[in-house]
Amino acid sequence: MNTPSGLAPNASAHCQACALPVAQLLNQTCACITLDEGLLAAQLEADPRLAGLTHRLQTSHPHLFSRSSVFLDGAQVEAIAHAVKTLDAVMALPAYAQRVLADAPAVAQPAFGPHGVFMGYDFHLTDAGPKLIEVNTNAGGGFLNAALAAAHRACCAAMQEWAPLAMPAQDALLAYVEMLKEEWRLQRGDAPPRPHPPLRMVAIVDDKPLQQYLAPEFELARWVLEHAGLKAVIADPQDLYLRDGQLWCKGLPSDTPIDLVYNRLTDFYLAEPHHAVLRQAYLESAVVLTPHPRAYALTAHKSNLIALQDKPWLAQLGLAPDAMATLDACLPTTQWLTPANSADLWSQRRQLFFKPATGYGSKAVYRGDKLTQRVWQEMLQSGAYLAQEMVPPSERLVMVDGQAQRLKVDVRAYAYQGQVQLLAARTYTGQTTNMRTPGGGFSPVLQVTVSSAGQG
């Protein structure tokens, strides 16, 4: 690492020589490789049943893990944590729920208690602070990033002092298990009329799970749950069935019903025919489902970003000035694309991103400067597109085949009930995150803490 000198003594230190925040300077100049692949293999294959997982990932997902860390300063970490906490608190307000659920389908209306696991808040880092790009209810990569965070090593003494490594994998994994147990308690508890035994069986559910891009994460999640004393199965929703008011899975013992479903489906409202059993089990409270349709409607539907910027309405809710300021600082301007504003938005398109209100995984997302008239007319006719202020991502210098390259960065906060559990970054080239960029992929986030001046 080329270590900058003249560092100011605080968590958001600037290099006195160049006036840049130290975290930004490190991201732009330190191309060191910090991933210890042996440690990563040890984290991913902590159980004999996971043997070979690392090799399979390297073969099928060669750009899933970056070999470099991403640096954030204390102010950025604090701003992200405060934004997540504020957003969660606002989204929990009854008046907010009344507004955003007004147009949601019936399946999103019941409130069974669970909050929703693996909330993902995705940020771009700017000079004005972190900007929220979108919210996800079933953000993938939480288990993999916990393992990855424990597999990076300081490239020099200065890095070890300035940017201590992320939390041990076990801490994050334990938090995930406790989160699922809490979801169970929130719905089942011990109250009549039907007390339930403790949580025993968890099903990790996705369509054709073994064919999913992050299928290896399902195996890791299953081991983590079993290591914590639970039973776990990876299941396709078409293998589920209802019997005697409980949810079951083909292939499981006849005395082992599913207690909780960790939901990885992107059919957020369970509207597809082959999800009918899971939908019925959810509505009949035959199983605890998390995340669930209500959580998606409350938090991740992209039109919610418009409600969260409605200042007169938020003031009527009695939102405190500091909460209003936090939302104003972290949210890029977002509005519906309509026939009435289409001419204005077309003229401003180079400064805008266009997203479907119910999209996920960057599907059907368009940079305004890349739009054709054909796509523009299709978006207008759909009536379901949002125009969002373009927030350019920050950059990270990495080494690719011996050559230094600059990749784009976004930061994901994995959170539960407004508390950040783990920060992770994604580095990439192109229009959106893709996990297919040489040198890119998931990266651990290291917080820079500079304790004394004049080091270097």
Side-chain angles (χ1 to χ4, degrees), residues 143 204 216-226 232 262:
F143 288 91
I204 303 160
E217 181 173 51
F218 301 162
E219 298 179 49
L220 181 60
R222 178 173 59 185
W223 173 79
V224 169
L225 293 169
E226 291 176 348
Y262 167 29

Side-chain angles (χ1 to χ4, degrees), residues 1-4 22 26 30-35 67-71 152-166 396 444-450 455:
M1 175 188 289
N2 295 321
T3 56
V22 173
L26 293 175
C30 174
C32 295
I33 293 172
T34 56
L35 176 63
R67 296 193 294 167
S68 300
S69 305
V70 168
F71 301 95
H152 279 250
R153 286 291 176 258
C155 58
C156 64
M159 178 181 169
Q160 190 166 7
E161 182 172 356
W162 294 345
L165 295 177
R396 177 73 174 98
V445 167
L446 303 185
Q447 180 178 337
V448 175
T449 56
V450 181
Q455 297 177 354

Side-chain angles (χ1 to χ4, degrees), residues 104-139:
V107 72
Q109 303 300 328
F112 294 117
H115 197 83
V117 298
F118 289 103
M119 291 293 300
Y121 296 83
D122 293 344
F123 292 87
H124 283 179
L125 305 176
T126 75
D127 292 341
K131 294 288 185 179
L132 182 74
I133 303 304
E134 66 181 24
V135 181
N136 299 280
T137 49
N138 60 354

Side-chain angles (χ1 to χ4, degrees), residues 264-414:
R264 293 292 294 255
L265 295 169
T266 53
D267 174 18
F268 302 113
Y269 291 137
L270 305 178
E272 297 176 15
H274 55 287
H275 298 153
V277 170
L278 185 58
R279 177 190 177 103
Q280 182 181 353
Y282 167 64
L283 291 174
E284 294 179 1
S285 195
V287 73
V288 175
L289 177 71
T290 184
H292 45 73
R294 183 182 177 90
Y296 173 78
L298 287 174
T299 64
H301 196 283
K302 292 180 177 59
S303 65
N304 295 352
L305 296 176
I306 298 175
L308 291 166
Q309 295 177 72
D310 187 340
K311 293 181 180 179
W313 175 68
L314 293 171
Q316 290 177 6
L317 299 186
L319 205 62
D322 63 336
M324 295 272 282
T326 297
L327 295 180
D328 190 48
C330 77
L331 295 176
T333 302
T334 306
Q335 58 187 306
W336 284 108
L337 169 62
T338 68
N341 66 14
S342 62
D344 287 341
L345 294 182
W346 175 258
S347 66
Q348 302 166 26
R349 67 189 184 280
R350 295 183 183 279
Q351 289 77 47
L352 299 172
F353 243 100
F354 294 88
K355 302 179 178 182
T358 57
Y360 66 93
S362 302
K363 294 181 182 295
V365 171
Y366 301 98
R367 282 176 57 110
D369 57 356
K370 305 293 185 182
L371 278 173
T372 64
Q373 270 291 340
R374 178 186 63 80
V375 173
W376 180 255
Q377 293 302 321
E378 290 175 354
M379 291 194 305
L380 263 176
Q381 292 170 12
S382 75
Y385 264 80
L386 299 167
Q388 186 179 76
E389 171 192 357
M390 188 176 293
V391 181
S394 57
E395 293 184 334
R396 177 73 174 98
L397 186 72
V398 302
M399 296 299 295
V400 182
D401 296 328
Q403 299 294 318
Q405 296 187 16
R406 294 190 181 277
L407 302 184
K408 299 174 183 178
V409 174
D410 78 357
V411 174
R412 169 168 288 177
Y414 293 94

